[in-house]
Each structure stands twice: as structure tokens, then as C-alpha cells.
Amino acid sequence: MKKLFLTAALFLGFQQSSKACSWYDPDYDYFNLFAQEMIHNKTYEPFLLTYSSHFYGYDYDGRIEKNIPDENIESWVKYFDNKLTYEETNALVTKVDIKHLNSLKKGQLTHPLFQKLGKGFYAKYQEAVDYLIQAKYMEPYMRINYIENTDPYYYRDEKTADKNATQLNYTKTNAALISLYKAATNPDIKLRYAYQLVRFNHYSRKYQPAIDAFQTYVEPLKLKNHMYYYALDQKAGAERGLKLFDKANWNFFQVFKNTKNKKESAYNSMFLATDKDFNKILTQAKTPEDKNMAYFLLAYNSFNNPVPIMNKMIENNTESDILKVLTVRAINQLERNYLVVNPFCNDEKCDHFRNKRLPLYAPDNYQEQTKDFAKDLETTIILAKNKKGADEFWQLSEAYIKFLNTDYKESQKILSQIKTTDREYLAEIEKFKMLNEIVSQPTITPEFENVLMKKYASVFEQKGDNRNWTYQPSTKDFVMDILANRYFLEKQDAKSFLVNNSLSALQYNPNSDLVRKVEEFYKKANKTAFENYLVKKMEDITDPESFFNVIYGDRAMRLADFKKAKEYYQKAKNYKGIPRMLGDWKDDGKTYVEKPMTFENGVYNGFNNISSLVFGYNVWESFQSKPQESMKAEGLFNFPFIKNKMNKVELAEAMIQLENTGKGNDDKARLANQLLGNLLYNTSVLGYYREIFVMDVDNSNGPKFQFGNELQSPFYLYYKNFSSRSYVEPDNFDLAIKYYKKALSLSKDKENQARILFQMASAEQGKYYQWEANNPLNVKYDDPNYEAKSKQNEFFANKTKNEKFRSSFAELKANYGQTDTYKNLQSSCLYFGYYTNK
């Protein structure tokens, strides 16, 4: 598609390649709203736009079933007087073993198909059955004998590399085919034997005899049906083998033009290295449609801007099927740059997203060029539309371009004027009308929500799950993104969230503000029809109230409001654990299935089985190690109410009792405050038990456990891709420090004081990380003073760290250098050792 002076990157769609990463499928990165498949001539489907494979219609496992008819099977159906269905004929020609045909010839009906047809079938169609016997005998050998590095036109098929044409006795096989050709009385069967002769010689690398066979046995029959072009395809292959590229290209071009299911192979077989190769074909083209075919090949094979070529094709034949293929490819490429599935913003305000109202224009670096191309493409489409005899395709195309350019009113007007009975066109018209109506709404009112469910209920009933990377985005996903964006802009966060997510997704970002808005929506009375539709997305949680209360309780614990936390947890009576889904592939390698995660007995599930080591302290920092390896218990025998395994109600109650004990002035109060500080630090983003109060199943690294995005939500258009971004309220390390300070003031033991100071220092380190993440000192790589500025920023960061976030380290270094704790920390804690030795 595009260019007029567009960048090469924008023209990726007009070259036949895919991204380098095999796991990445770019065709899953757009909505495919404008259905390329609506072209009437389905034989051109392989040439629709795709980035994922060489031709449209393939996936990782090979060919996807498409609408391209097999003209060879169709001709056999006709030959057998329609006694067999297409499927039965295909089975006879391609699947029934040769032994059954030989048995039929002997009067034995050993196959169900022949039992249905009866013994008289062979008598009536003897020549055809005899031909099929010969063809099936030869078929396993009908490939070229591969010679390493001789010609990239021929390739090695590993599955059938053990057989090739040279393994047949050339003299006997060639003579047998000539004899069968001469004996055949039906011209169609005679032509099939002629095709086998040309093919056999070609695959035997006897190139000139193959060409001679075509002239001797094919041409005299004067039949120009599909078998003629199949034979011409083999002749062209032989000409290419003789390096007669111009002749081969012209004959492959004839095959491309005149066959239904040989277009892909014919295109692949052409040697089109330069524009000169195309011009030679163009020079020989006589009819307007032949010229359009040649123009298409030029546009399809290069980075050239297709608009000038399309204008030439319009002059030749406005209703050219191949012109429409070029047009839908161009429109599809424009859509890919306009309607981004996952818009990305890498600055704080995302100002380049205009008013942040979907759909967005193309990314910054493409926007102006894309607009230029869109304008020229629209001009060309209007030119075609106004030509005499132009069908509704061009009106549809114009309406869609108007839609992409946000001229919804004019798009709707064009759609309303289209008169057609074509079912594919009608489906597109209804779809575009719906999109215009939804996208043009200034706000999503309750009245419009009811309209949505009355007029477009079928859209919302479509199945699919765009959380699964094997699922290709659809029209429904586009509509849902639009609605999610509108609700987001209108501050209806709960509905914006639920449009793109199920209720259980809140576990990935249990932000209290959003959770409360979702809970309020859940409890809302008198919901609209669309709101009730959204409520169904909350049904993956059996008891939403318990789910909400656990999240609120967790937040209260992080804020050291232990009494409120206990109240919330006590309301979560039916909480069954974190609702995590696990996905895996079935043995067939094609089916991706999800099932609820199950928790083993005694394992933390989001509520139960919290280890008393949560009150301990780090022996060393390793999140991957077992609890007993990373953590050490601290004086719990003084507090028998702390159980070895607790649920969150019991944990909150223990914290309440510790807090009450900590109000005293004795050593037990000291230890209580130390335990309170330990728990708050251990469940912070830096602690071994960091998963406890953020709805996670373990402490494995993820977005929740990264600093940054704590002061500002990373969601700026909607709540899509919710689990991949971090927006959990930040830890308040001052709360842990407060308890540590009280413990330090009551401590009489130098070693204990040193350890408390180190715990305080660790909490201060967390405060520094928060400051660093939310005050990035970035220098652009293209800055000529990059190195000097980077060093200056590093100096400023270290200065800030030492002046504002290292008071406990300074105290340790100044007054506790002789303690065993200090000496052990120098060797076991790298950042403390670095600090003390500088």
C-alpha cells in the first residue's frame, strides 16, 4: 500500500515477507474490519494482503480451507455426468488407492464408492478409469530430482525426497504414455496423457523433450481448457530449466491468468527480478485485462505506490477483479496503520493521541504520509466509482475510506445510497453502518446502551477471547475497544474496565480506587441492557463481595490499619482463593485451553496458609529460595497467638495484639514493634512475602513488583491489557520505619540495634527506589553530551540517595562497626558492603 514518497516500512504490505520472529504473527495486530475476502473472484484470495505468510490463507500448519475451487475436480465431476458429488470425485481422484481401481477393472467392487456406482461404471468410463490408474501409478514420482544448489526454483520436499521422476524407467514410461495417448479416443483424456508426458519429461530434467512433447501432443488437440494450461505450466518449467526466462515468464503468466488454483504456483515460478521483466510481459499483453494482470504483478511484487498503477488499471477496465484485489490490499494496509489494536504511549501525557478518542490515526512517524496516501487512494477510488459500469464495490470502498478519516456522516450517506442484492456487500454495509453509528457517538448514554443491545445484540454475542494470543481480533473487539475508550474518557471506569476484562482481572492490579468503582457498579440498581451484559463478565467470581473485601483488607494491612483489615477479611466468608487461570496446549499443538488454578493443601492461596516466617527477617535476599533458606524466625515464642500457619483474619488479629503490646515500654514491646515492622517490610515490594497483600500467588517477578507507575495510572485510553501493566498503590515504607524506630528506642542490645537499623535501612532503600522510579533522569541517546550528562545524573542520584535515604546506613557505619551484625552484613549484603567500603 502507500507511498507517494512513503517510507519503506509503510510498504511492508506490498512485499511477500513476514516478521523475523516466528512467534510473532502481525496479522493478529489489526481488526480486519474491511473484509478483503468480499472480492467476488475467490481465485485471487491468495493475493490478498497478509504479513504472516507468503500468500494469504496460510497458517503455521499449512493451508487454511479457502473458497478457491479445484478446477481439475470440477472437470472430473462434469466428465462423470454429475453422478458423483464434488467430495466423492475428489476422493476418487486424490484419495482412493490404485488397488481399488485395478479391482474395479476386474469387476470387483472393493471400495464403498464403487459399490455405490456399480460394475457398469467402469464399462461407461473405461478410458477415464484407465487414465486414473496410470496417473496414480506415476504420482508418487512426479517431482524433480533435487540437485543441491543448482536452481532455487526447484526445492526439496523432505517428506517425499525419497522418490522422483528419474526413478521410473524413462524409455518405458515415455513410450507407455505415448501409446496410451494414441489409444485414447476422448480428447479430454488424450489431453491428460499429453500433460503427463510433458510433466514426466520436465521432472526427469529432460527440458527440451518436455517442450517438444507439448508441441507434439498438446497443441494439436486445440483444447484450451484447464489441462492445457496445466501442461503449459510444465512447459514453462522446462523453459526455465533451459534459462529461457522470457518465454517461461510469458507462459507462467498465461497459467496465472487462465487457471483458478494454479495462480500461486504460477506467480512463484515467474522470474521477475527487475521492472524489465514486467515490462516484457506488459509489452506482449494484448487485452485490457491482460495489461491489468501485468500491472498487478508489478504492484504486488514491489514497494511501488499502487495508486498510479491503479489509475492505469482503471483506464483499462474498472471492473477488473485483479484491480479490486489491489484496492482491498491498499485499504487493508491503511486500516492497519489507522486502527491500531494496541496503541502505545511512551510519554506521560500521550499528547500525540490528540483527544485520546479512539480510533486513533497512525503513529506519529507515519501520520502525515499516511494522510497523503489516504487522500490519493480516495481520489482513485472515486475515479473508479464514477466510471461507467462500476459496481457497488467502489462505493463501499469510498465509504470505508471516509470512515477511516473520521468523516462518519459522509460515510453513512454513501452507505445509505448503495443499492445491491449481493450478500457479501450487504453484510459489509450493515457492519459499516454500525461502526459509523457507534464511533460517532459523542457520549455513551443509557439510551444508546439500550440501542446497542437492540440493534447490535448479535455482535456482542460473538464468541472469542482476545487474551489468548492465538485469537485474531475481530469487529466485536474493535467495538468493545471503542466503548471502553468512551467510558474511560467519561470517567465511567467500572464499565470501561469490564468492557475489556472479567472481574477476576482485578487481581492483577488491585488498585483500591478502581476496585471500589467496580463494586459500586456491581451494586447499582436498574441497570441498562448493556450494563447487564457487562455484569455477566463478573460471573467468573462466585462471590464478588468476598473478592472485593479481600482486596480492601489487603490494602488496609499495607496501610497498617489492622482493625479495618480484620473487618474486611471477616466479610470474605466465601473466598475460595485467588482466581488464577492456567493455560496450556493440547497434544495436537493447535488447541489452547485454560483451567482454574488449584492450590495444594497447606499452600498459600491468597487467604489461607500464611507462614509465621512473614514476621521474620532476611538471612539473604533470594526470592527463588525456599522460605527457610531466605527467612529466619524472630522471637515468636513470646507471642503464642501467632500460629505457624494463619489465614488473613488470624494474621490481622495477630497484628492488632502486637500493636497493643507494642504500646508498652518493655522488651516485649520492643519485639512487638520489630515484628510489626518486619511484616510490613516483608510484604512490601522488596520483601520475600511481597505477594501476600497484592493478590498474587507467589513472589515471582512481574509488573506488580516493579517500581514506577505508582503515582500515575499507566492506563490512558482504556483498561485493555490490564495484567501487563502495573498500577498498585505504592508501599508506605515510613510505616515500617515507624515501628522500627519504636523498637530501636526500646532495644538495649547492641547487636539487636544493629539489625533493626539494617531493617530500617532496607526500608529507606525502598523509599529511594520509589523516588528514582518517579523522578527518572533520562538523557536521550542522540544527545551530543550523552556521556557527560549521564555521569552528572548518576552523581546527582547518588548524592540524593546518600543525603536523603541513607540515614540508617550512616548510623550503622558510625556507631556499630564492632558488632557481629555489621561485619556479617558487609559480606552478605552487597549494597551495604559497597556503602561502607567507599
Side-chain angles (χ1 to χ4, degrees):
M1 125 119 243
K2 68 211 101 295
K3 194 175 164 185
L4 222 32
F5 41 77
L6 295 201
T7 61
L10 222 49
F11 269 93
L12 195 57
F14 279 88
Q15 62 177 340
Q16 316 317 308
S17 64
S18 58
K19 294 285 183 75
C21 298
S22 60
W23 50 264
Y24 172 76
D25 191 338
D27 281 355
Y28 286 63
D29 257 0
Y30 81 111
F31 295 104
N32 196 17
L33 299 182
F34 188 86
Q36 296 185 82
E37 297 90 345
M38 73 174 176
I39 57 169
H40 288 153
N41 191 337
K42 305 305 180 184
T43 65
Y44 290 120
E45 276 197 10
F47 299 92
L48 299 178
L49 184 61
T50 176
Y51 288 171
S52 300
S53 58
H54 196 63
F55 288 107
Y56 185 86
Y58 288 82
D59 65 5
Y60 297 118
D61 299 311
R63 184 73 183 171
I64 299 174
E65 192 65 32
K66 285 292 179 182
N67 300 311
I68 303 174
D70 188 323
E71 53 208 327
N72 186 44
I73 302 302
E74 289 179 333
S75 71
W76 278 117
V77 171
K78 184 178 179 181
Y79 185 91
F80 292 128
D81 302 311
N82 297 302
K83 286 184 170 63
L84 299 172
T85 65
Y86 180 93
E87 290 72 21
E88 289 172 332
T89 307
N90 183 56
L92 172 61
V93 174
T94 65
K95 298 175 183 177
V96 174
D97 192 272
I98 190 174
K99 65 183 180 182
H100 296 296
L101 277 80
N102 280 318
S103 296
L104 175 67
K105 191 172 181 178
K106 299 174 184 176
Q108 301 169 1
L109 307 179
T110 59
H111 192 277
L113 187 59
F114 297 141
Q115 292 168 7
K116 171 187 172 181
L117 295 169
K119 294 181 180 180
F121 182 78
Y122 177 73
K124 185 170 184 179
Y125 302 108
Q126 178 180 339
E127 281 194 355
V129 175
D130 288 344
Y131 168 78
L132 288 174
I133 290 172
Q134 178 65 25
K136 284 177 182 286
Y137 166 72
M138 295 179 62
E139 188 59 33
Y141 301 92
M142 287 301 98
R143 54 194 51 83
I144 201 123
N145 62 315
Y146 182 80
I147 300 175
E148 199 74 40
N149 295 325
T150 57
D151 189 347
Y153 167 65
Y154 302 109
Y155 68 96
R156 183 179 183 86
D157 187 339
E158 297 296 338
K159 296 179 181 178
T160 55
D162 57 326
K163 291 184 177 181
N164 62 72
T166 62
Q167 292 173 335
L168 293 173
N169 185 295
Y170 175 78
T171 303
K172 289 184 178 180
T173 303
N174 201 58
L177 287 171
I178 293 172
S179 176
L180 290 166
Y181 171 89
K182 291 179 178 178
T185 59
N186 185 293
D188 288 330
I189 301 300
K190 195 179 278 289
L191 180 56
R192 290 182 181 277
Y193 281 121
Y195 158 73
Q196 295 289 358
L197 270 164
V198 179
R199 182 166 74 147
F200 175 60
N201 278 277
H202 172 209
Y203 287 161
S204 298
R205 290 191 183 270
K206 297 185 180 299
Y207 299 133
Q208 189 57 52
I211 296 170
D212 295 341
F214 183 88
Q215 295 169 341
T216 303
Y217 301 108
V218 176
E219 287 182 342
L221 297 176
K222 299 187 182 303
L223 290 176
K224 285 291 184 79
N225 60 19
H226 74 285
M227 286 308 303
Y228 169 85
Y229 291 104
Y230 283 17
L232 184 63
D233 184 49
Q234 296 297 323
K235 177 194 176 190
E239 288 169 334
R240 175 159 179 160
L242 294 173
K243 301 190 183 306
L244 303 173
F245 295 126
D246 290 343
K247 289 183 178 180
N249 281 347
W250 177 250
N251 285 327
F252 281 132
F253 179 72
Q254 299 304 309
V255 177
F256 177 87
K257 183 181 70 168
N258 292 292
T259 62
K260 293 179 179 179
N261 59 343
K262 287 282 186 182
K263 293 187 186 298
E264 292 175 45
S265 62
Y267 173 80
N268 270 339
S269 299
M270 294 184 204
F271 186 80
L272 303 173
T274 65
D275 286 355
K276 184 179 178 181
D277 298 315
F278 290 98
N279 289 331
K280 287 181 179 178
I281 293 176
L282 186 62
T283 301
Q284 296 179 76
K286 304 301 181 185
T287 68
E289 188 61 6
D290 280 2
K291 292 182 183 296
N292 275 1
M293 290 274 188
Y295 282 132
F296 172 80
L297 292 178
L298 176 60
Y300 183 81
N301 196 66
S302 71
F303 284 99
N304 290 341
N305 172 25
V307 169
I309 296 175
M310 289 169 63
N311 290 334
K312 292 180 179 180
M313 294 172 74
I314 289 170
E315 291 301 316
N316 285 328
N317 178 13
T318 308
E319 289 314 293
S320 168
D321 290 327
I322 204 73
L323 169 60
K324 292 177 182 177
V325 173
L326 198 58
T327 304
V328 296
R329 283 173 58 88
I331 292 174
N332 183 272
Q333 180 60 53
L334 195 63
E335 177 185 320
R336 289 172 186 251
N337 284 316
Y338 269 41
L339 309 182
V340 184
V341 172
N342 293 302
F344 177 71
C345 173
N346 56 7
D347 61 64
E348 288 185 7
K349 297 181 180 179
C350 305
D351 288 335
H352 67 279
F353 283 158
R354 300 176 299 139
N355 56 8
K356 300 182 184 177
R357 186 178 173 90
L358 294 178
L360 303 168
Y361 280 115
D364 278 347
N365 54 330
Y366 295 158
Q367 186 169 342
E368 292 305 318
Q369 301 98 314
T370 305
K371 283 183 179 178
D372 291 335
F373 174 74
K375 180 179 178 181
D376 290 305
L377 179 60
E378 182 177 2
T379 300
T380 295
I381 287 171
I382 293 173
L383 174 66
K385 183 190 74 170
N386 293 332
K387 283 281 186 178
K388 185 177 180 180
D391 75 1
E392 302 86 356
F393 169 85
W394 299 104
Q395 292 171 279
L396 267 172
S397 299
E398 183 189 11
Y400 189 65
I401 296 293
K402 297 287 188 186
F403 165 76
L404 289 179
N405 286 322
T406 69
D407 191 351
Y408 308 123
K409 184 177 180 179
E410 186 62 26
S411 177
Q412 206 76 331
K413 179 181 176 181
I414 295 170
L415 293 169
S416 299
Q417 293 173 345
I418 299 176
K419 307 295 181 185
T420 183
T421 57
D422 185 277
R423 291 199 300 178
E424 288 182 304
Y425 287 174
L426 287 171
E428 290 294 286
I429 290 169
E430 290 306 306
K431 177 171 66 176
F432 295 158
K433 283 182 176 179
M434 173 191 69
L435 295 178
N436 277 320
E437 183 176 6
I438 293 174
V439 174
S440 62
Q441 289 298 313
T443 58
I444 309 300
T445 63
E447 292 74 21
F448 187 66
E449 286 180 339
N450 288 326
V451 169
L452 283 174
M453 297 309 292
K454 286 181 181 178
K455 290 180 68 174
Y456 308 122
S458 60
V459 174
F460 300 107
E461 291 168 0
Q462 292 175 8
K463 301 294 183 183
D465 182 1
N466 59 12
R467 293 173 297 169
N468 183 345
W469 68 270
T470 64
Y471 171 72
Q472 187 167 1
S474 64
T475 300
K476 175 187 176 181
D477 298 307
F478 175 77
V479 170
M480 298 303 266
D481 279 4
I482 294 296
L483 295 175
N485 171 250
R486 298 301 185 268
Y487 287 132
F488 187 89
L489 296 177
E490 296 163 15
K491 309 298 182 185
Q492 298 189 60
D493 293 84
K495 288 196 278 189
S496 179
F497 168 79
L498 288 170
V499 166
N500 285 140
N501 302 279
S502 59
L503 179 59
S504 64
L506 282 174
Q507 67 182 287
Y508 297 106
N509 275 302
N511 181 274
S512 303
D513 181 58
L514 178 59
V515 173
R516 198 163 301 281
K517 289 176 180 177
V518 174
E519 183 188 24
E520 289 172 359
F521 172 75
Y522 174 71
K523 293 179 177 179
K524 178 187 175 185
N526 302 318
K527 295 182 178 71
T528 66
F530 185 72
E531 287 175 333
N532 283 322
Y533 167 79
L534 292 180
V535 168
K536 292 181 180 179
K537 304 190 79 173
M538 306 177 83
E539 293 176 354
D540 65 328
I541 298 293
T542 306
D543 182 6
E545 285 292 340
S546 292
F547 182 67
F548 296 138
N549 279 304
V550 171
I551 293 176
Y552 296 146
D554 287 348
R555 183 57 185 159
M557 289 290 282
R558 296 176 74 207
L559 294 174
D561 192 344
F562 309 124
K563 290 182 179 179
K564 184 176 284 187
K566 181 181 176 182
E567 291 173 5
Y568 283 126
Y569 289 145
Q570 286 175 328
K571 295 177 184 177
K573 298 177 181 178
N574 299 316
Y575 189 71
K576 303 298 183 185
I578 292 174
R580 189 65 54 89
M581 298 294 290
L582 297 178
D584 201 2
W585 293 98
K586 286 189 175 181
D587 293 339
D588 61 8
K590 302 177 182 179
T591 309
Y592 186 81
V593 294
E594 288 187 325
K595 59 182 180 180
M597 179 177 179
T598 56
F599 297 90
E600 297 179 7
N601 290 333
V603 174
Y604 173 68
N605 71 347
F607 195 84
N608 300 309
N609 300 312
I610 301 171
S611 170
S612 60
L613 281 174
V614 74
F615 289 103
Y617 61 92
N618 284 84
V619 177
W620 71 322
E621 187 168 306
S622 173
F623 292 106
Q624 291 76 35
S625 299
K626 294 179 180 179
Q628 295 79 7
E629 296 173 350
S630 286
M631 304 297 295
K632 186 174 181 180
E634 184 147 34
L636 297 184
F637 56 86
N638 290 295
F639 305 102
F641 52 82
I642 297 178
K643 303 176 182 179
N644 289 333
K645 288 287 182 72
M646 296 165 284
N647 62 35
K648 286 187 172 179
V649 176
E650 293 167 334
L651 180 62
E653 175 60 32
M655 296 295 280
I656 294 170
Q657 294 192 48
L658 285 172
E659 192 165 49
N660 288 333
T661 303
K663 293 175 182 177
N665 294 308
D666 56 8
D667 192 60
K668 192 171 183 180
R670 183 272 307 169
L671 183 54
N673 280 286
Q674 196 166 344
L675 294 178
L676 287 164
N678 282 356
L679 180 131
L680 289 173
Y681 177 78
N682 290 335
T683 56
S684 75
V685 66
L686 293 178
Y688 183 84
Y689 290 99
R690 58 189 181 178
E691 75 274 16
I692 299 292
F693 298 135
V694 290
M695 295 289 286
D696 220 325
V697 295
D698 56 39
N699 63 18
S700 300
N701 199 22
K704 288 180 184 176
F705 306 133
Q706 298 167 6
F707 290 95
N709 290 329
E710 296 164 316
L711 303 180
Q712 179 182 344
S713 168
F715 304 102
Y716 40 83
L717 296 170
Y718 43 28
Y719 290 103
K720 191 175 179 181
N721 301 322
F722 192 69
S723 63
S724 63
R725 295 169 184 172
S726 176
Y727 188 37
V728 182
E729 292 101 330
D731 293 300
N732 186 346
F733 288 100
D734 284 327
L735 294 173
I737 291 171
K738 180 189 76 171
Y739 290 114
Y740 284 136
K741 282 183 176 179
K742 179 70 182 292
L744 184 63
S745 69
L746 297 175
S747 178
K748 304 287 192 295
D749 179 73
K750 201 78 170 175
E751 294 291 343
N752 181 249
Q753 290 172 3
R755 194 146 49 75
I756 294 173
L757 278 168
F758 179 71
Q759 292 296 99
M760 290 173 63
S762 298
E764 284 183 315
Q765 188 76 4
K767 292 180 66 176
Y768 169 73
Y769 289 145
Q770 289 176 336
W771 174 86
E772 184 182 51
N774 292 295
N775 296 276
L777 303 172
N778 296 325
V779 183
K780 292 184 178 179
Y781 288 110
D782 57 356
D783 191 313
N785 299 315
Y786 173 80
E787 188 172 343
K789 288 183 178 181
S790 295
K791 287 182 178 179
Q792 184 179 359
N793 285 348
E794 184 179 356
F795 173 80
F796 176 70
N798 286 331
K799 185 173 182 290
T800 302
K801 183 191 304 180
N802 290 324
E803 290 179 352
K804 296 183 178 181
F805 303 104
R806 285 286 172 83
S807 60
S808 297
F809 270 170
E811 178 71 11
L812 268 172
K813 184 175 182 180
N815 299 313
Y816 292 87
Q818 300 307 312
T819 63
D820 290 336
T821 300
Y822 181 92
K823 294 173 183 177
N824 290 335
L825 285 171
Q826 279 190 305
S827 60
S828 63
C829 178
L830 293 178
Y831 63 84
F832 181 66
Y834 170 78
Y835 174 79
T836 57
N837 292 320
K838 65 181 181 178

